[in-house]
Amino acid sequence: MRTTVENGNQTSAPAQTRQPEFVAPEVNIFETKDGYVVEAEMPGVNKAGLEITVEANELTIIGHRNSEQASGEPLLRERRFADYRRSFELDPAIDTAKIAARIDQGIVTVTLPKSEKVKPRKITVD
């Protein structure tokens, strides 16, 4: 499984033509006997703001955050108000029809099951 980071950062254009800005969320990827698990940190994203797509063996996770309106003049701003985006090239052995996802407290968990054809199986000897 390969990962790519997409960053549509274009701040010099006027606001109406500006491309959306994305940051890459931090992820953990695990392999289990049944498949892979991708965990992505997306604080500030809820279920309604989450978009997960699979197209041509590429998994894309996008998380939209609601921008906060400050009640005063900012003195220091370290957090960016960009949305999240991360793409992964999938192993052809993944059964894309059975991919499942959930979000809990800003952690997106995507389960990518291996196809039955590639799972090891025990052969009985007669």
Side-chain angles (χ1 to χ4, degrees), residues 40-114:
E41 290 185 15
M42 295 187 175
V45 174
N46 59 24
K47 184 178 177 180
L50 191 58
E51 248 181 86
I52 301 174
T53 59
V54 175
E55 187 175 342
N57 278 349
E58 182 174 274
L59 171 74
T60 302
I61 305 170
I62 298 174
H64 301 285
R65 296 192 283 186
N66 293 329
S67 60
E68 300 172 5
Q69 296 297 327
S71 58
E73 183 69 27
L75 299 176
L76 174 67
R77 179 171 280 160
E78 293 182 337
R79 286 186 297 135
R80 296 170 64 185
F81 291 108
D83 290 335
Y84 298 101
R85 182 182 182 109
R86 193 78 182 256
S87 294
F88 303 91
E89 183 177 328
L90 298 179
D91 184 329
I94 292 174
D95 187 348
T96 57
K98 294 183 180 175
I99 293 174
R102 64 183 168 85
I103 186 166
D104 184 33
Q105 296 186 3
I107 304 293
V108 178
T109 304
V110 182
T111 306
L112 307 161
K114 292 178 184 174

Side-chain angles (χ1 to χ4, degrees), residues 19-36:
Q19 294 285 336
E21 186 177 353
F22 295 103
V23 292
E26 294 181 352
V27 298
N28 293 326
I29 301 175
F30 305 97
E31 183 175 11
T32 67
K33 65 179 179 126
D34 295 324
Y36 301 94

